[in-house]
Every structure is written in structure tokens, then in C-alpha cells.
């Protein structure tokens, strides 16, 4: 039985573990934190639960891609569907624009506000569907992958395509109103990223009842069913290598795990820090160090007074400017330029929200001066900084949701430093390595490394988000099982 050691218990690490354990490998997952899950982690304060990363998922109705993938991985969680008449609501220039589920729903809901744009929206949707269905891993259909479709839309920016197809200047902005979900940047982020996200959530959108940590817990359960082990408090500090291969890993507590195969689910910048072998060339290390990452985030977690805030069954995107683009280019004076506001789902048919989150962009540079300080002991100035930003953010949301602040019993915050500490993501980045068409292949990280039995997985390899990470998992595990075999296993249940 081949021994696989997986570094990190994020979605990527756990799902690779399940696939390999199911296929007869001896799997051990090592997690540095106290909780498994990475961005699937939740925390609880005075009875209210909060998700720190994953807040909603798509394509999870029976027969849809994520439903099939979760079934294959043995994930059993309760889901609560977001409003099909408007699972996302974009607020721009004082007007609200819902995104309705399904192709026709999406087009019809926008045509009611932009009557001249029906044909253009149909064309946009045709391109989105074309890109999503040309990828057999995203659609789980045996497609004759249309390489031309994929390449074209991986090389063109979102704004380039959207502004060519949609001729109304307001609608051009509305259709990208949920771009904080993938931290898109103008002229940089490929249209394919937009297409995958739009197609994924448009098919169906759900919250995980009781929190996204239930996905992690369910994956751990499947792992133990197949005899795999998951250990927390195991920070890997070294990937041990001989002259040709990785031989195992060493943890901060001195424990050592032998391995035939090592898979790292950590940010590649963290992975290269664990390797001092000459097998990894300096040029690779340098490249990893230079690759740009998506921006970090500042979150305000709201614990509401009992039965005061009706549960909001959609995600709300607010902007303090006329466009969703460019929110990452803020100054201390004009922050926040935009935000995403969501409620947590504790139970099916929830009437009142117990908790919610407001999320806005924040650069690591803003909190860099507290790097190296300990969580919970960063000092009064850090607390002041967080309080100041939390109030600014809540005041902004209150413009759209009057009395919000009066409904909040207590609030808690996180910054890019929090994410850096809890998951090791470079620069506190929300979604890991950024896709940037201006940088080409130099900005991509391959799942294979020059160490033949060291593979990479997770959001930095393919794409972030539940589908992006699981597609990456299939690519990584396909290296050991063959992609065809894995594809057949998933498709045939
Ligand atoms: C604020 C926010 C909101 C999001 N919202 C959504 C959403 O609504 N829907 C969606 O689909 N996606 C969402 N995402 C993205 C999604 O959560 C991530 O893409 C995904 O969970 C990343 O999984 P991963 O396995 O790649 O990495 P991670 O979750 O970062 O896991 C990496 C793991 O490795 C561990 N680790 C690091 N170094 C070591 C070491 N040396 N030794 C041992 N362990 C180590 C870390 O502790 C961590 O547990 C969101 C992300 C963020 C940050």
C-alpha cells in the first residue's frame, strides 16, 4: 500500500485524501491548526456561528456537477437554497439588480431593467455556457473539449468580452457585480474565470445549513471510513528529500512521517519554504515568490439581537462608486469602495438571522506592521484599527439596511493577518494566486513539481472556490490514478 502524506486539511487536502484512500492508498493528512478545513472553518461566539471562508455553493441540485462530486466524496450536508428569483443582488447607483437562477431567469430579470439588451444578454450567456461546457471536468460531461473556446476566453479579460457583447454601460457593470467572489481585476482576470463562476451559481445556489465546516467534518468521516488518518496540531516544517525524491515530512513537534507520495495543499510559497533540497531550482522558488496573489479581506462578523433581523436569502453586493471594478485600489479615505453582505443559515426555513458577515477588500500592507505579533495579543492599536474599519463598513451597509447597527449585539473582525495566521495564505490573500492574462503561463502553478513524488493541490493550482478546488483535486489525483479512471469513477458514482 503506497503511503501518501497530505500537508494541510483544506478542501483540497481532504478531498485528495478521500479519493486516494478510496483507491487503496494509505493516507495521512497533517493540519497545522486546531480545526480541520482551512477556509471551511467556522467559529462560534455566544451561541452564534460564523463561516470564515466558504459561504455559499452552486450547482448542488440533484444531477448537477457539484452534487455529483460531493456524492462521490461521501459528503452529506444539509443545504438551503438561495432565492431563485435573486440569489445575488447587486446594488449600484441606488438601484438593485437581482441575478435570478437559470439562463432564462437571469436574462429575463435583467431585461426588465434593460429592455434593449435581450439579444446581447443571450449572446453573453451563450459564451458563458460555451466556456463552462467545453471543460469536461467542470461539466462532468465527456466533451470533445473545444480548445479554441477555452484558449480564447482564458486569454481575454472579463471586461474586454463583456464590454464587446453588452452595449449598455450600466448593464456592463451590473453583470460583473458579483466580482468580489473571484477578486477580479480589470484587464487582468480572464473571462473564463467569470464564466465558470456565473455558470456554477446560476444553475443553483445554496448555503450549507449549520456552516461550511460540516463539509470538512463529512470529508473527515469519509476518510476514516477508508482507514485514513487526520491529525491536527501538526505543522509540517520540512519536506524531507533524498537525492531524487521526497521521502516524508517532519513536523514542528519533531514527529516524522514517511511517504511514497507527498501532496501539499498549502500556498506554494509555504510549500517551497519547507524544502531545502537542490531538487527544487532557485528559479522556481523565485517565480513562486513573485507571483501575484488576489487581495486579502477584512470581515466584520455580526451577532444579531434575537429575532430582529429577517433572514436574507441572498447575497448583497453594495458599491460606493458607479462600478464594481477597481475596489482594490482604495485609499484610507475612500475605503471601502464596495462590500459583500451575507447571512448565515443555521437551520432550514430560517426566519431570523442570528449572524451575518460583511466582507470588503483589504491589502496586507494595511496590517503589515502587526505581522509577527500573536493572535489575540496584537495590541491596542490593532484593536483600534479593526474597530475603526468595522464601524466604517457597518455604516456603509446601514445606508442600504437601515437600523443594521441597532440590531447588532456584538461584532468580531478578521484581517488579512488572520487568514495568513490560520491558513498560511500568502499576503493574507483570499483566493490565492491571481489569474492574470498579462502574465501568461509565468503566473500559473502546475500541480507537478520537479520533485517527482511531490504534488500540489488546492485553490492555487487550478482555481479557488468549491468547484475550482475540486477540479484541481481531480487533476492532482489524476496524476496517480489517471484522469480517465477518476472521471469514470465520479461520473458513475
Ligand atoms: C473570505 C472568503 C470567502 C469565500 N467564499 C467562498 C464561497 O462563498 N464559496 C466558495 O466556493 N468559495 C469561497 N471561498 C474560497 C474557498 O473557501 C477556498 O478556495 C477553499 O476553501 C480553499 O481550499 P484549499 O484547500 O485550497 O486551501 P485552504 O482552505 O487555505 O487550506 C490550506 C490548509 O493548509 C494548512 N496548512 C498550511 N500550512 C501548513 C503546514 N505547514 N502544515 C500543516 N498544515 C498547513 C492550513 O492551516 C489550512 O488548513 C472563500 C474564501 C474566503 C477567504
Amino acid at each position: 500500500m503506497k503511503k501518501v502524506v497530505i500537508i494541510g486539511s483544506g478542501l483540497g487536502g481532504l478531498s485528495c485524501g478521500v479519493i486516494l484512500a478510496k483507491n487503496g492508498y494509505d493516507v495521512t493528512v497533517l493540519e497545522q491548526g486546531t480545526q480541520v478545513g482551512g477556509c471551511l472553518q467556522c467559529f462560534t461566539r455566544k451561541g452564534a456561528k460564523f463561516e470564515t471562508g466558504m459561504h455559499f455553493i452552486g450547482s448542488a441540485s440533484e444531477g448537477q456537477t457539484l452534487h455529483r462530486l460531493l456524492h462521490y466524496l461521501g459528503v452529506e450536508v444539509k443545504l438551503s437554497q438561495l432565492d431563485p428569483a435573486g440569489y445575488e443582488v447587486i446594488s449600484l447607483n441606488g438601484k438593485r439588480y437581482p441575478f435570478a437562477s437559470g439562463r432564462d431567469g437571469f436574462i429575463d430579470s435583467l431585461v426588465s431593467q434593460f429592455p434593449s439588451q435581450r439579444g446581447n444578454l443571450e449572446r453573453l450567456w451563450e459564451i458563458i455556457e460555451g466556456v463552462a461546457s467545453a471543460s469536461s471536468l467542470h461539466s462532468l460531461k465527456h466533451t470533445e473539449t473545444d480548445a479554441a473556446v477555452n484558449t480564447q476566453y482564458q486569454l481575454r479579460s472579463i471586461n474586454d468580452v463583456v464590454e464587446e457583447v453588452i452595449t449598455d454601460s450600466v448593464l456592463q457593470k451590473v453583470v460583473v457585480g458579483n466580482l468580489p467572489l473571484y477578486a477580479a481585476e480589470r484587464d487582468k482576470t480572464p473571462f473564463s474565470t467569470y464564466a465558470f463562476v456565473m455558470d456554477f451559481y446560476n444553475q443553483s445556489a445554496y448555503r450549507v445549513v449549520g456552516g461550511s465546516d460540516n463539509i470538512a467534518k463529512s470529508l473527515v468521516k469519509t476518510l476514516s471510513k477508508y482507514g485514513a488518518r487526520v491529525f491536527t496540531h501538526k505543522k509540517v516544517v520540512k519536506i524531507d528529500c533524498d537525492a531524487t525524491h521526497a521521502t516524508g515530512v517532519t513536523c514542528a513537534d519533531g514527529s516524522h512521517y514517511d511517504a511514497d507520495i507527498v501532496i501539499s495543499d498549502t500556498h506554494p510559497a509555504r510549500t517551497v519554504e519547507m524544502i531545502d533540497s537542490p531538487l527544487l531550482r532557485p528559479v522556481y522558488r523565485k517565480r513562486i515568490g513573485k507571483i501575484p496573489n488576489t487581495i486579502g479581506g477584512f470581515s466584520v462578523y455580526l451577532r444579531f439581537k434575537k429575532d430582529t433581523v429577517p433572514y436574507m436569502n441572498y447575497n448583497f453586493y453594495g458599491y460606493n462608486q458607479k462600478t464594481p471594478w477597481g475596489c482594490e485600489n482604495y485609499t484610507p479615505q475612500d475605503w471601502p469602495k464596495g462590500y459583500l453582505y451575507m447571512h448565515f443559515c443555521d437551520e432550514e426555513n430560517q426566519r431570523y438571522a442570528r449572524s451575518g458577515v460583511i466582507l470588503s477588500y483589504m491589502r496586507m500592507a494595511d496590517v503589515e506592521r502587526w505581522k509577527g505579533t500573536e493572535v489575540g495579543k496584537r495590541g491596542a492599536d490593532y484593536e483600534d484599527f479593526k474597530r475603526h474599519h468595522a464601524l466604517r463598513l457597518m455604516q456603509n451597509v446601514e445606508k442600504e439596511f437601515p437600523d443594521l447597527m441597532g440590531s447588532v449585539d456584538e461584532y468580531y473582525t478578521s484581517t488579512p493577518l488572520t487568514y495568513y495566521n490560520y491558513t498560511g495564505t500568502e499576503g493574507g490573500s483570499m483566493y490565492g494566486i491571481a489569474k492574470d492574462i498579462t502574465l501568461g503561463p509565468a503566473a500559473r502553478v502546475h500541480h507537478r513539481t520537479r520533485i517527482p513524488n511531490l504534488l500540489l493541490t488546492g485553490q492555487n493550482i487550478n482555481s479557488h472556490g468549491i468547484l475550482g478546488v475540486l477540479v484541481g483535486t481531480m487533476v492532482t489525483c489524476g496524476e496517480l490514478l489517471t484522469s480517465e479512471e477518476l472521471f469514470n469513477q465520479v461520473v458513475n458514482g
Side-chain angles (χ1 to χ4, degrees):
M1 219 181 193
K2 283 203 169 169
K3 278 189 187 167
V4 180
V5 169
I6 298 176
I7 309 169
S9 71
L11 177 65
L14 293 175
S15 54
C16 277
V18 168
I19 292 176
L20 296 176
K22 263 179 108 153
N23 282 279
Y25 287 79
D26 176 63
V27 173
T28 303
V29 181
L30 302 172
E31 167 56 47
Q32 64 177 0
T34 50
Q35 255 193 63
V36 294
C39 292
L40 298 172
Q41 285 178 77
C42 295
F43 68 94
T44 304
R45 293 282 180 279
K46 297 186 184 165
K49 199 166 175 183
F50 301 93
E51 288 165 315
T52 61
M54 201 168 287
H55 296 93
F56 81 122
I57 60 177
S59 292
S61 294
E62 183 93 32
Q64 294 178 344
T65 297
L66 190 67
H67 188 272
R68 294 163 82 186
L69 281 169
L70 293 179
H71 174 74
Y72 173 72
L73 294 168
V75 173
E76 286 176 7
V77 287
K78 273 193 201 152
L79 299 177
S80 167
Q81 189 159 16
L82 293 180
D83 187 357
Y87 58 98
E88 313 262 52
V89 172
I90 315 298
S91 175
L92 211 53
N93 310 323
K95 273 195 169 178
R96 292 185 180 192
Y97 305 92
F99 285 2
S101 295
R103 172 200 180 273
D104 294 346
F106 178 81
I107 294 172
D108 290 347
S109 66
L110 291 176
V111 164
S112 66
Q113 303 195 59
F114 300 93
S116 71
Q117 296 292 305
R118 178 174 289 280
N120 294 343
L121 281 163
E122 284 171 353
R123 173 73 189 126
L124 182 69
W125 206 260
E126 200 182 302
I127 302 174
I128 288 172
E129 273 182 345
V131 173
S133 61
S135 161
S136 52
L137 286 179
H138 282 86
S139 61
L140 289 183
K141 287 187 194 119
H142 265 298
T143 58
E144 278 305 312
T145 301
D146 189 338
V149 172
N150 274 339
T151 312
Q152 179 188 0
Y153 292 109
Q154 274 162 12
L155 296 178
R156 291 183 68 192
S157 70
I158 299 172
N159 52 292
D160 181 20
V161 179
V162 166
E163 289 165 19
E164 180 183 279
V165 176
I166 303 288
T167 49
D168 183 286
S169 67
V170 176
L171 184 58
Q172 285 169 354
K173 298 174 182 81
V174 170
V175 295
V176 296
N178 60 352
L179 62 75
L181 290 182
Y182 42 100
E185 289 187 59
R186 218 179 144 74
D187 299 326
K188 289 186 179 172
T189 312
F191 182 84
S192 52
T193 298
Y194 169 75
F196 288 131
V197 170
M198 292 299 281
D199 175 75
F200 180 61
Y201 286 116
N202 177 264
Q203 292 196 31
S204 61
Y206 292 88
R207 293 197 202 292
V208 181
V209 177
S212 58
D213 58 348
N214 286 323
I215 298 178
K217 286 179 191 160
S218 194
L219 285 166
V220 171
K221 217 166 141 191
T222 319
L223 279 164
S224 66
K225 186 172 134 193
Y226 288 101
R229 294 157 298 275
V230 181
F231 298 117
T232 53
H233 300 283
K234 287 284 178 189
K235 182 180 169 94
V236 175
V237 288
K238 190 162 179 234
I239 298 174
D240 304 296
C241 298
D242 63 16
T244 56
H245 285 74
T247 53
V249 304
T250 301
C251 298
D253 61 7
S255 53
H256 176 82
Y257 295 82
D258 289 333
D260 298 304
I261 297 141
V262 176
I263 299 180
S264 179
D265 178 39
T266 70
H267 191 287
R270 302 286 79 75
T271 306
V272 298
E273 284 168 2
M274 297 174 210
I275 304 167
D276 60 13
S277 161
L279 289 171
L280 220 55
R281 292 199 301 200
V283 65
Y284 180 80
R285 291 176 191 279
K286 211 166 153 191
R287 188 167 79 75
I288 295 293
K290 280 189 159 174
I291 290 181
N293 288 282
T294 52
I295 192 163
F298 179 79
S299 301
V300 184
Y301 303 99
L302 310 168
R303 187 166 61 74
F304 295 124
K305 290 177 182 159
K306 196 166 183 286
D307 298 348
T308 53
V309 179
Y311 175 64
M312 191 173 78
N313 200 19
Y314 56 88
N315 302 327
F316 185 88
Y317 302 78
Y319 294 98
N320 290 323
Q321 53 179 22
K322 293 193 161 135
T323 173
W325 291 111
C327 293
E328 67 283 2
N329 299 317
Y330 61 84
T331 63
Q333 291 71 38
D334 64 15
W335 185 92
K337 287 184 161 185
Y339 61 82
L340 167 55
Y341 173 42
M342 291 173 282
H343 285 174
F344 181 81
C345 179
D346 300 274
E347 58 203 8
E348 285 163 293
N349 307 316
Q350 181 133 357
R351 277 190 68 202
Y352 292 101
R354 276 179 226 152
S355 54
V357 63
I358 316 167
L359 184 58
S360 191
Y361 291 162
M362 182 176 276
R363 292 183 286 263
M364 179 60 119
D366 298 3
V367 286
E368 194 83 47
R369 67 196 120 136
W370 293 287
K371 212 170 175 180
T373 57
E374 234 180 282
V375 177
K377 296 179 190 165
R378 299 198 200 277
D381 48 354
Y382 183 65
E383 296 307 318
D384 281 348
F385 172 91
K386 292 200 296 179
R387 197 172 309 115
H388 169 77
H389 284 78
L391 290 175
R392 290 263 293 261
L393 207 39
M394 286 191 283
Q395 279 156 4
N396 268 277
V397 180
E398 198 165 52
K399 287 184 208 156
E400 298 267 7
F401 296 88
D403 297 333
L404 174 94
M405 289 169 81
S407 319
V408 173
D409 231 344
E410 212 164 34
Y411 68 86
Y412 319 94
T413 53
S414 70
T415 72
L417 263 188
T418 320
Y419 285 88
Y420 177 76
N421 276 104
Y422 278 93
T423 68
T425 181
E426 184 67 358
S429 159
M430 280 196 288
Y431 309 134
I433 288 171
K435 311 257 165 326
D436 185 338
I437 56 165
T438 64
L439 299 175
R444 307 294 293 222
V445 178
H446 204 270
H447 64 283
R448 262 188 252 138
T449 67
R450 280 181 62 85
I451 301 175
N453 60 340
L454 169 65
L455 300 173
L456 309 182
T457 200
Q459 65 178 1
N460 300 286
I461 303 313
N462 174 59
S463 185
H464 74 291
I466 192 159
L467 186 63
V469 172
L470 293 182
V471 166
T473 292
M474 290 184 52
V475 172
T476 303
C477 294
E479 196 64 30
L480 302 171
L481 305 174
T482 81
S483 309
E484 194 56 27
E485 164 62 20
L486 190 46
F487 186 86
N488 289 336
Q489 285 185 14
V490 175
V491 168
N492 301 323

